[in-house]
Amino acid sequence: MQVATAPQDVLAHLRQWLDTAGAARLPPERTLAERLGTSRGEVRKALAVLEAEGRVWRHVGKGTFATLGATTGAPATRADPVAELARATSPPEAMEARLILEPEIARRAALRATAVQVAELRRLSAAMRAAASWPDYEELDFRFHELIADAAGNRLLLEVERLVNGVRRAVVWGHLARRPQGPSPDYHSFDEHDAIVDAIATRDRRGAFEAMRRHLDSTARALEEDAE
Amino acid sequence: MQVATAPQDVLAHLRQWLDTAGAARLPPERTLAERLGTSRGEVRKALAVLEAEGRVWRHVGKGTFATLGATTGAPATRADPVAELARATSPPEAMEARLILEPEIARRAALRATAVQVAELRRLSAAMRAAASWPDYEELDFRFHELIADAAGNRLLLEVERLVNGVRRAVVWGHLARRPQGPSPDYHSFDEHDAIVDAIATRDRRGAFEAMRRHLDSTARALEEDAE
DNA sequence: GACGCTGGATTGGTCAACCAATCTGTCGCG
DNA sequence: CGCGACAGATTGGTTGACCAATCCAGCGTC
């Protein structure tokens, strides 16, 4: 089960992926479409733009690949700030920023989230439990936190969240990508996500704050243990 | 009926049409496809690129139109993201983001600031008291808060602070610019700034947090009162 | 004649099925 | 054991039909 992504964000999403992820090969169009919760046509339209810019290279049967080296493209090759920042940020720094930001965002989301947004959060949480691979889970998790920031009803906070979480994803990338199968059924984040959604749904502001803090704490702890 | 056109030339063909033809409206996709001896899909792919560049504008039922006015040169001429965000952000939103972020930043600055940074904060605070105009004060205030974020020792947090405060400055800008003279000698922020620096200098983490919160609170209150 | 409604025609958008190029694992031959 | 041929799976590309928004000519009403 998937939740829709705004059509115009597909291009921006792929742009960021190109700037941050280290892999030369992109996932297949069909996989991208499902992962982003959109149609293959939307993905192809975005890829067509990137191809016209010379940033990707496609070939039937082989796949889609990021253009190596200098993009030398016509457009003024503006570097993605997220990518640049990611190279200058350590995992603990990214985690610290999240811990400052996201509990407060969750608190406001509990106050301002609409029923539609809560329902989407529920769908995303359920989809994460069913994720077949870590990249799938990663993408859903990103959108989960992004949607909470959206529900907080502050455009500036949403943008800050995107920046922080984009950097976080870029920094941690590769950790999880190579694992063969997806998260185990008892992965700690599943229940934590549900707890966050429950608190938001019941307008429990303090509960949302605490649930988010616990979630990020245990994620940070898992990240530390993983490094040993 | 026409002879087939090389697929990649469709884009070039349309580009030339845009540059030469005076008409604002392009022929329908189906007509273009037949005229160029290619498929509608090819035409749509080319148009998608032009649309992403902002050179054409499409709407179902109406047609495809060349963007009026200056084509603004080559790429999609994206405005400064901060300026764009500022237009979509209200003063209370900007203030809310600051209130979430900056007290926590101050707390970390109290832990990690170097002596040089503290000295620089003192200089900035003194300079603000002597500011002859509101724009001067504004600039010094911006650098004051930026330096605290720098002292927090987290590159990502520094960048977030720049984003938030840049938006805040753009949003509030104009409020103060037109006043003839600078802040009065008893402007509330002066002492509040000093309190923040003192707490940081003495490594009083909680004190720095509280001092920053009080400063932003009173600034927010002043902004509200000013609007009445 | 002016205004408004209505039905069909036009137009860009979307989607699912299908196609061809490529990759990959397997089997058989030497 | 090595190697090549074959079959199925994978992947980007293409096509056609269908959909919804819009436009417009024609007609009716006042």
Side-chain angles (χ1 to χ4, degrees):
Chain A
M1 163 174 34
Q2 292 288 334
V3 180
T5 296
Q8 91 230 41
D9 286 341
V10 176
L11 218 185
H13 207 283
L14 291 178
R15 277 218 162 84
Q16 185 170 325
W17 194 96
L18 285 178
D19 289 329
T20 57
R25 176 174 185 174
L26 279 75
E29 296 175 350
R30 293 165 176 86
T31 304
L32 280 174
E34 189 185 2
R35 196 175 288 170
L36 295 178
T38 183
S39 69
R40 192 181 159 208
E42 287 293 335
V43 172
R44 283 187 57 76
K45 190 158 54 177
L47 286 175
V49 174
L50 293 174
E51 187 178 31
E53 291 177 357
R55 301 205 47 177
V56 300
W57 186 83
R58 300 194 275 183
H59 202 301
V60 45
K62 302 177 81 167
T64 305
F65 301 84
T67 303
L68 300 179
T71 56
T72 72
T77 316
R78 59 178 189 285
D80 186 347
V82 171
E84 195 177 349
L85 241 186
R87 283 195 298 274
T89 303
S90 68
E93 283 178 337
M95 212 60 219
E96 181 178 60
R98 289 188 81 189
L99 265 166
I100 291 175
L101 197 64
E102 301 209 31
E104 291 290 350
I105 285 178
R107 184 206 302 277
R108 280 151 184 85
L111 182 66
R112 303 174 190 155
T114 67
V116 172
Q117 288 169 328
V118 171
E120 286 226 348
L121 285 175
R122 285 238 144 82
R123 273 207 296 279
L124 280 170
S125 185
M128 278 187 272
R129 286 184 186 273
S133 70
W134 278 105
D136 281 349
Y137 172 82
E138 179 88 1
E139 177 60 35
L140 291 166
D141 181 67
F142 182 88
R143 284 161 55 197
F144 179 83
H145 289 273
E146 185 182 45
L147 179 54
I148 291 176
D150 191 18
N154 183 326
R155 173 71 195 281
L156 177 54
L157 277 182
L158 171 60
E159 222 58 43
V160 169
E161 220 283 330
R162 282 186 174 139
L163 175 63
V164 170
N165 237 347
V167 169
R168 190 264 316 181
R169 182 164 62 171
V171 167
V172 180
W173 198 91
H175 250 262
L176 310 172
R178 56 196 64 191
R179 308 276 178 82
Q181 70 268 39
S184 64
D186 63 341
Y187 185 53
H188 64 85
S189 287
F190 293 156
D191 290 340
E192 293 166 6
H193 284 150
D194 284 336
I196 294 168
V197 180
D198 286 341
I200 291 175
T202 57
R203 309 295 176 195
D204 179 4
R205 302 185 63 194
R206 182 182 181 81
F209 178 94
E210 294 292 346
M212 179 64 83
R213 202 175 53 72
R214 276 196 303 274
H215 172 47
L216 297 179
D217 271 340
S218 70
T219 299
R221 209 172 316 118
L223 207 148
E224 283 178 15
E225 289 170 359
D226 194 55
E228 291 172 0
Chain B
M1 203 49 182
Q2 290 280 337
V3 181
T5 300
Q8 90 227 49
D9 286 341
V10 176
L11 218 184
H13 205 282
L14 291 178
R15 278 218 160 84
Q16 184 174 344
W17 194 97
L18 285 177
D19 290 332
T20 59
R25 177 173 183 176
L26 280 76
E29 296 175 350
R30 293 166 175 84
T31 305
L32 279 174
E34 190 184 1
R35 195 174 293 172
L36 297 179
T38 182
S39 70
R40 191 183 161 210
E42 286 294 334
V43 173
R44 283 187 57 75
K45 189 158 57 177
L47 285 175
V49 173
L50 292 173
E51 186 180 32
E53 291 176 358
R55 300 205 48 176
V56 299
W57 186 81
R58 299 194 275 182
H59 202 302
V60 47
K62 303 177 81 166
T64 305
F65 301 84
T67 303
L68 299 179
T71 53
T72 68
T77 313
R78 278 247 298 255
D80 183 2
V82 171
E84 192 178 350
L85 234 189
R87 282 196 298 275
T89 303
S90 67
E93 283 178 337
M95 210 59 220
E96 182 177 61
R98 289 188 81 188
L99 265 165
I100 291 176
L101 199 64
E102 300 208 31
E104 291 289 351
I105 285 178
R107 185 206 301 276
R108 281 154 183 81
L111 182 65
R112 303 175 188 155
T114 66
V116 172
Q117 287 168 329
V118 171
E120 179 67 17
L121 284 175
R122 286 234 143 85
R123 269 208 300 281
L124 281 171
S125 185
M128 278 187 272
R129 284 183 188 273
S133 70
W134 278 105
D136 283 350
Y137 171 82
E138 181 86 3
E139 179 58 33
L140 291 166
D141 182 65
F142 182 87
R143 282 163 55 195
F144 180 83
H145 288 274
E146 185 183 44
L147 180 52
I148 291 177
D150 192 17
N154 182 326
R155 173 71 194 281
L156 176 55
L157 276 182
L158 171 59
E159 220 57 42
V160 169
E161 221 284 330
R162 282 184 175 141
L163 174 63
V164 169
N165 238 349
V167 169
R168 191 264 315 181
R169 182 162 61 171
V171 167
V172 180
W173 201 89
H175 248 261
L176 309 172
R178 56 195 65 190
R179 308 277 177 81
Q181 71 268 41
S184 64
D186 63 341
Y187 185 53
H188 64 84
S189 287
F190 293 155
D191 291 340
E192 293 165 6
H193 283 151
D194 284 336
I196 294 168
V197 181
D198 287 341
I200 291 175
T202 57
R203 309 296 177 192
D204 178 3
R205 303 184 62 193
R206 182 182 182 82
F209 177 94
E210 294 291 347
M212 179 64 84
R213 202 174 53 73
R214 276 197 303 274
H215 171 46
L216 296 178
D217 270 339
S218 70
T219 300
R221 210 174 314 117
L223 206 149
E224 283 178 14
E225 289 170 358
D226 193 56
E228 288 172 358

